[in-house]
Amino acid sequence: MSGMTIGEALVAGLRQRDVTCVFGIPGVHTVELYRGLAASGIRHVTPRHEQGAGFMADGYARVSGKPGVAFVITGPGLTNTLTPMAQARADSIPMLVVSGVNKTGSLGKGLGHLHELPDQIGLAKTVALVSEQVTGPSALAQVLDRVFHGLSNGRRGPAHIEVPLDVAAAEYQETAVETPDPDPPVSPALIRQASGQLAEAKKVVILAGGGAKRAEAGLQALAEALDAPVVQTVNARGLMHGHALTVPASPSLNAVRALLESADCVLALGTELGPTDYDMYATGQFAKLPNLIRVDRCSDQLSRHEAAIAIQGDVGLVLPALCKVLPQRSRQSNGADCARKTRNAAWQEIGPDYRQQVEILNAMRSASPNALMVGDSTQPIYAGNLYYDHDRAGGWFNAATGYGALGYGIPAAIGASIADPTARVICITGDGGAQFSMPEAMAAVDENLPVTFVIWNNHGYREIATSMQDAGVTVIGCDPTPPDFAATARSFGIPHTRVPDKPQAIAQALGETAALGGPAMIEVTARKFEPQRD
């Protein structure tokens, strides 16, 4: 890479590391990064806001399994991307944000330069797992190697690289680098210990988290060998769709908690056991997890909850290892029956309103099999997070857990579509959440992506209004007037259909938009929240 600037060498280094797409908005602080981009073969997608760039990178990473990459300017570009970085950190999503920064000699001096921050790299470190500055011509290779090692080893999450203006334009100097140590191998002793405990147990229940979503074959094989029900957190939905052992319901539900507490051994795979999955009603009570065996890539994560056995390693490697050494055992004969009873009890527990919305999701799934359903915080997503069996592993994800950022759905759906252009992508967002990031839909127009934006229009923030009313607080600020979505769609140049909140009507509209090939909008007219009057 001799004869290149550092900006050009950085782009070339990304390409060497299998980066094929970046999301970004060019600015004067990133011009040198763009110098080599056109000839690199890396696709560039332009969002309308840097927050959109970050959420697109997140959606891309969830579907592709590779780090999503965003290019942003210094100052406001980086601060606008902090929210997506925080969402990615909460959900262990590999994301790389590359930003400019002012000239090296000016940093931290408060001289009033354009887009100046007191300490940009310090700010980034509050959400990034790692934040590094390219300090000079010979530093780039080491920074890239360290950052990409972190993106593929241990706990995944966001990383940040900043390049000062004077460094980006300097000539690159190639240097030898030391390859960081990979993750430690999975302990054979712990595998044998865990398999022995599983074999001795009479009633095993498996908890599958987002760390298991790419390990479906191994999960199913072990679950069938153990005759164990499999409970899926939100980020694991789509695993073992329709299987007799599947429990596609939130572990916050009493029915699922009862199943877990009735076990004599719980195997938790790639789940942080966080409250947005396990105590979403904020009761302060978690289900007891008897004889807990945990598997996770992150040693810090394993130390946060007491477990009988803690195995550090990728779920995709641990599951076949467990199956290989699992001793012969007398199978429990009621795993499928326990799963069925739990599904039925959970279905009743979520109540009639949420059941109606899950029926809509079921109709959407039938109308668009194997689709990617990407969601924002809105009523159908809340319902689905409580109970919904998707038909594609990793095909159901949203920002209504973990960090919980509104405005996620539209740009994340665009990133997902870039990652898998063969997939139908359905974005489900409320009228409130859509107004956070509606302009990002124009990126789908620019790229001619097969994304259908389903806007659940109940004229406000119904979930918040309900919470305020339940708390005895006068409901205020929860009814922002939505735009005319039909007119918005026309201005974007995409088809718009308005339908009632009925399963068949929404499924029919999805079928019609699928034939169009490009982006489209379906507006669902849902019931508006009406506060109770004294």
Side-chain angles (χ1 to χ4, degrees):
M1 293 193 290
S2 60
M4 292 183 177
T5 65
I6 290 178
E8 290 174 298
L10 188 149
V11 171
L14 294 178
R15 188 68 189 89
Q16 288 176 354
R17 290 163 177 82
D18 198 31
V19 172
T20 57
C21 181
V22 300
F23 304 92
I25 301 174
V28 294
H29 286 75
T30 54
V31 166
E32 288 300 328
L33 297 180
Y34 281 81
R35 183 183 296 278
L37 194 61
S40 68
I42 296 177
R43 181 179 185 176
H44 183 271
V45 176
T46 307
R48 273 39 179 183
H49 189 282
E50 289 92 355
Q51 180 172 280
F55 285 144
M56 288 178 192
D58 177 299
Y60 176 91
R62 294 191 197 227
V63 174
S64 70
K66 303 190 300 183
V69 180
F71 280 4
V72 300
I73 64 167
T74 188
L78 190 279
T79 55
N80 285 339
T81 319
L82 291 176
T83 294
M85 292 170 72
Q87 184 72 48
R89 179 163 183 152
D91 290 342
S92 300
I93 304 303
M95 173 196 297
L96 173 59
V97 175
V98 181
S99 76
V101 73
N102 286 309
K103 291 183 178 181
T104 306
S106 73
L107 300 181
K109 295 182 179 179
L111 299 174
H113 287 281
L114 179 65
H115 302 328
E116 184 177 2
L117 281 168
D119 181 6
Q120 178 170 282
I121 203 163
L123 181 62
K125 285 180 178 178
T126 62
V127 290
L129 295 180
V130 61
S131 179
E132 295 213 24
Q133 184 188 101
V134 180
T135 56
S138 62
L140 175 64
Q142 293 96 326
V143 168
L144 283 174
D145 271 12
R146 284 196 298 268
V147 166
F148 272 85
H149 178 266
L151 289 168
S152 58
N153 290 272
R155 184 183 181 185
R156 307 293 178 87
H160 167 242
I161 296 174
E162 69 175 20
V163 189
L165 282 171
D166 53 322
V167 174
E171 184 174 353
Y172 171 70
Q173 295 177 12
E174 193 160 359
T175 56
V177 297
E178 294 182 8
T179 303
D181 293 333
D183 281 349
V186 176
S187 167
L190 288 176
I191 291 292
R192 289 192 297 271
Q193 184 182 350
S195 65
Q197 180 171 310
L198 290 167
E200 292 174 5
K202 302 300 182 185
K203 193 173 183 181
V204 178
V205 176
I206 297 175
L207 277 169
K213 70 181 180 182
R214 300 185 188 279
E216 183 173 43
L219 175 64
Q220 183 168 325
L222 185 63
E224 290 174 349
L226 298 170
D227 194 29
V230 179
V231 176
Q232 294 118 14
T233 67
V234 169
N235 284 326
R237 294 296 174 79
L239 290 168
M240 296 174 57
H241 168 66
H243 196 283
L245 292 170
T246 287
V247 181
S250 170
S252 291
L253 294 172
N254 290 328
V256 181
R257 288 182 170 191
L259 173 69
L260 292 169
E261 293 185 346
S262 71
D264 60 0
C265 181
V266 173
L267 173 62
L269 303 170
T271 172
E272 69 176 359
L273 303 175
T276 56
D277 268 308
Y278 291 84
D279 187 29
M280 64 172 294
Y281 297 112
T283 64
Q285 301 295 318
F286 277 53
K288 295 180 177 63
L289 305 177
N291 294 312
L292 176 63
I293 302 172
R294 289 195 70 192
V295 180
D296 202 282
R297 297 172 62 104
C298 178
S299 59
D300 290 341
Q301 188 58 252
L302 288 172
S303 69
R304 291 178 183 136
H305 295 273
E306 186 175 350
I309 303 172
I311 302 174
Q312 184 180 358
D314 186 278
V315 172
L317 299 176
V318 171
L319 285 173
L322 285 171
C323 286
K324 186 176 180 179
V325 301
L326 188 70
Q328 291 294 321
R329 66 192 294 273
S330 56
R331 284 166 50 95
Q332 59 188 49
S333 60
N334 63 344
D337 189 51
C338 286
R340 178 185 57 80
K341 289 179 178 177
T342 303
R343 289 194 300 268
N344 291 342
W347 179 249
Q348 293 303 315
E349 186 178 339
I350 66 174
D353 288 346
Y354 275 165
R355 287 199 295 270
Q356 179 185 12
Q357 290 175 51
V358 175
E359 293 290 6
I360 288 172
L361 295 174
N362 290 339
M364 294 170 71
R365 182 190 63 211
S366 297
S368 300
N370 205 39
L372 295 166
M373 286 195 185
V374 184
D376 220 319
S377 294
T378 191
Q379 294 294 307
I381 296 299
Y382 299 141
N385 285 351
L386 282 175
Y387 189 110
Y388 172 62
D389 188 12
H390 196 53
D391 62 351
R392 173 178 176 147
W396 169 271
F397 59 90
N398 55 77
T401 63
Y403 193 61
L406 264 173
Y408 172 87
I410 291 174
I414 291 168
S417 187
I418 296 288
D420 185 356
T422 67
R424 179 83 185 277
V425 180
I426 300 170
C427 171
I428 304 173
T429 182
D431 58 293
Q435 292 181 75
F436 276 60
S437 55
M438 194 78 243
E440 301 302 344
M442 283 303 296
V445 175
D446 290 345
E447 304 294 327
N448 193 31
L449 302 175
V451 181
T452 299
F453 302 102
V454 179
I455 313 294
W456 188 265
N457 188 359
N458 57 15
H459 294 260
Y461 305 138
R462 180 173 177 178
E463 190 74 10
I464 304 304
T466 301
S467 297
M468 292 175 75
Q469 182 170 274
D470 290 347
V473 175
T474 301
V475 177
I476 189 170
C478 294
D479 56 352
T481 302
D484 183 333
F485 286 109
T488 301
R490 283 196 302 273
S491 73
F492 289 176
I494 64 176
H496 170 275
T497 304
R498 183 180 289 113
V499 296
D501 57 347
K502 304 298 180 185
Q504 188 55 42
I506 297 171
Q508 181 176 339
L510 278 175
E512 292 169 354
T513 59
L516 301 175
M521 184 187 296
I522 297 172
E523 180 184 354
V524 179
T525 54
R527 178 168 55 89
K528 183 178 179 180
F529 178 82
E530 298 292 346
Q532 294 177 359
R533 305 296 181 186
D534 292 334

